[in-house]
Amino acid sequence: MIAITDYDTGNLRSVANALRRIGAEFTVTSDAAVLRQADRVLLPGVGEASSAMAKLRERGLDALIPTLTQPVLGICIGMQLMCLDSEEGDTRCLGIFPAHVVRLRGGENPLKIPHVGWDTVGRLRSPLFDGLGEDTYLYYVHSFAAQACDATIAQTDYGGIFSAALGRGNFFGTQFHPEKSGRAGERILRNFLKL
């Protein structure tokens, strides 16, 4: 069973619909016992880092999530919360990935922020991306991103390189939204279920 972590952030319905499309069984929960026993855990989210971390703390999930031993996938703010810290709200995060989350700058010729829409990912180095080629297009909606680090397993250039995905041990994260990324996103979710 897959557990979708409910901590009062948006995007739960989109993730649930994507899992239904690929025939996966899941539950939406904030119950620590259910999360501990799940075969896979998803930490999705849309929102602001400091308030999202506050919601995890209220439920005691900030202490639980780093101790999970099954595959865990953070999506968008879910991945950012698994990093060391975030400039958004000057937030201390879970510290699973050795990355700092910073505001997108837009580069020398400023690009529109937030970064919304389809963009390519490259330098893929994880079974999460099996069956996908370099420069696959995936869907983004964000103003903050994790800096590239030794846990970066995919990257995107949007006015500068950032971590499109992170991986360390049983923990994975995607800045893009696989649930909104068509067949490529479904492939990533299926790959996650095989880990």
Side-chain angles (χ1 to χ4, degrees), residues 76 79-87 97-104 140 142-149 151-152 154-156 160-166 173-175:
C76 194
M79 179 184 93
Q80 292 178 16
L81 296 179
M82 294 163 72
C83 293
L84 295 170
D85 51 41
S86 176
E87 285 184 350
F97 299 125
H100 303 282
V101 177
V102 297
R103 178 180 290 281
L104 293 174
Y140 286 96
H142 65 122
S143 298
F144 291 81
Q147 294 177 320
C149 65
T152 300
Q155 61 186 40
T156 291
I161 298 294
F162 65 84
S163 293
L166 295 166
T174 63
Q175 182 58 62

Side-chain angles (χ1 to χ4, degrees), residues 176-193:
F176 55 84
H177 288 269
E179 76 282 5
K180 296 182 181 212
S181 294
R183 289 180 191 213
E186 287 180 5
R187 171 65 67 98
I188 290 166
L189 291 173
R190 286 180 196 279
N191 289 341
F192 173 68
L193 298 184

Side-chain angles (χ1 to χ4, degrees), residues 1 14 33 38 60 90 95 99 104 110 116 147 182 188:
M1 175 69 72
S14 294
D90 192 24
L104 293 174
V116 178
Q147 294 177 320
I188 290 166

Side-chain angles (χ1 to χ4, degrees), residues 26-176:
F26 65 90
T27 186
V28 178
T29 185
S30 60
D31 184 291
V34 174
L35 290 167
R36 255 189 235 102
Q37 294 174 2
D39 297 318
R40 305 280 184 280
V41 173
L42 290 173
L43 183 66
V46 173
E48 187 270 336
S50 63
S51 57
M53 272 306 299
K55 293 291 185 182
L56 287 179
R57 279 191 215 88
E58 282 173 18
R59 291 166 170 77
L61 299 177
D62 62 320
L64 171 73
I65 290 168
T67 69
L68 294 175
T69 57
Q70 68 272 63
V72 177
L73 176 63
I75 298 172
C76 194
I77 193 77
M79 179 184 93
Q80 292 178 16
L81 296 179
M82 294 163 72
C83 293
L84 295 170
D85 51 41
S86 176
E87 285 184 350
E88 188 175 30
D90 192 24
T91 307
R92 195 176 105 246
C93 299
L94 298 173
I96 295 166
F97 299 125
H100 303 282
V101 177
V102 297
R103 178 180 290 281
L104 293 174
R105 306 288 186 233
E108 290 178 22
N109 300 313
L111 298 168
K112 185 177 176 186
I113 308 293
H115 176 207
V116 178
W118 296 87
D119 207 339
T120 57
V121 296
R123 301 196 62 166
L124 309 177
R125 55 180 192 95
S126 169
L128 207 55
F129 302 108
D130 284 354
L132 298 178
E134 291 289 316
D135 296 326
T136 294
Y137 278 88
L138 298 163
Y139 191 79
Y140 286 96
V141 180
H142 65 122
S143 298
F144 291 81
Q147 294 177 320
C149 65
D150 65 3
T152 300
I153 57 173
Q155 61 186 40
T156 291
D157 186 347
Y158 190 76
I161 298 294
F162 65 84
S163 293
L166 295 166
R168 174 168 270 188
N170 59 303
F171 292 95
F172 300 86
T174 63
Q175 182 58 62
F176 55 84

